[in-house]
Amino acid sequence: LWPRSVWWNDQVLVVSLNFTIFFGLLFTGGFLKITQSRPRGYWLFVPLITVAAMIVLISYQIPYRVGIKSTIVLAVIGIIWATVMAITRLLSGYHPARIYTLAWITMLGGGMILALNKFGLVPRSFLTENATLYGSVLEVVLLSFALADRLNLEKKERIEAQNLAHIQERNARIANENALLNERRAREAREQAFE
């Protein structure tokens, strides 16, 4: 895309990877509802996204070697955090976390196969060379299902809350009608007592 800009060609990798980390962590935090459900996991969330944003901002002033190493460390910490949060939410019974965890494992599995291929531990083939691509595609498909599942769950919860509100409103109306009926009976009883 920019054959004459060698410096930017190096820096764009650091910038784009940190944007990926930043938005990936935001998605994970929002999707798994970390702020409401896991306050202890939230204490690492804010520093991770802050560091990713800081690396993007200072990537123009630091050497590529420093930027890429700090990005790799941040990515490893972010992956561990996201995996722990996903498993924690899964174990706590949060239904959408099942598909999210499976999607996350497929992407990490693809990356692991590629890494093993590059270290010579897995034979080189079309599948192992493109394992990260296949894992990422499968992750996107699974995350789409996870989002749909989460939206359906939220819709169901909203409908249940509306039904509960209608029931409470009906009960309040019945109680009000009973109170009015009792008041009318009491008035009639007073009138009969006067007669």
Side-chain angles (χ1 to χ4, degrees):
L1 294 175
W2 34 80
R4 294 191 179 121
S5 182
V6 176
W7 175 84
W8 175 242
N9 198 42
D10 284 343
Q11 297 305 329
V12 75
L13 185 61
V14 174
V15 170
S16 61
L17 285 175
N18 279 286
F19 270 132
T20 302
I21 293 167
F22 180 83
F23 288 112
L25 290 172
L26 282 178
F27 175 79
T28 299
F31 185 83
L32 295 175
K33 297 183 178 182
I34 300 300
T35 56
Q36 301 98 336
S37 62
R38 295 281 171 242
R40 289 194 325 211
Y42 187 70
W43 69 269
L44 189 58
F45 173 70
V46 174
L48 286 173
I49 61 172
T50 303
V51 169
M54 298 274 292
I55 293 173
V56 167
L57 293 175
I58 66 170
S59 66
Y60 306 104
Q61 294 148 1
I62 59 175
Y64 171 77
R65 178 178 38 71
V66 174
I68 198 69
K69 285 183 179 179
S70 58
T71 299
I72 290 170
V73 169
L74 181 64
V76 168
I77 294 169
I79 287 169
I80 292 169
W81 177 83
T83 304
V84 168
M85 289 297 104
I87 292 170
T88 304
R89 291 293 281 146
L90 177 65
L91 294 176
S92 72
Y94 184 59
H95 185 67
R98 292 180 312 146
I99 301 172
Y100 176 88
T101 305
L102 181 61
W104 191 242
I105 288 171
T106 60
M107 201 265 309
L108 291 177
M112 188 85 90
I113 290 170
L114 180 65
L116 293 173
N117 175 357
K118 296 303 178 192
F119 285 120
L121 300 172
V122 173
R124 187 176 181 168
S125 69
F126 183 77
L127 179 64
T128 58
E129 286 290 319
N130 296 301
T132 303
L133 177 64
Y134 294 134
S136 296
V137 167
L138 193 54
E139 178 191 31
V140 168
V141 169
L142 289 170
L143 285 177
S144 298
F145 287 130
L147 279 171
D149 187 45
R150 181 174 157 212
L151 290 173
N152 287 336
L153 179 67
E154 289 176 356
K155 183 179 178 182
K156 181 182 172 186
E157 289 172 352
R158 193 171 44 250
I159 289 170
E160 287 174 358
Q162 286 175 343
N163 289 340
L164 181 63
H166 288 304
I167 289 170
Q168 289 174 343
E169 181 182 334
R170 189 186 72 208
N171 290 342
R173 191 172 48 247
I174 290 170
N176 190 26
E177 289 171 1
N178 287 338
L180 290 173
L181 181 64
N182 289 336
E183 184 180 329
R184 190 181 69 189
R185 286 180 182 160
R187 191 173 46 243
E188 288 173 356
R190 274 194 310 262
E191 289 173 1
Q192 285 180 354
F194 283 130
E195 288 177 7

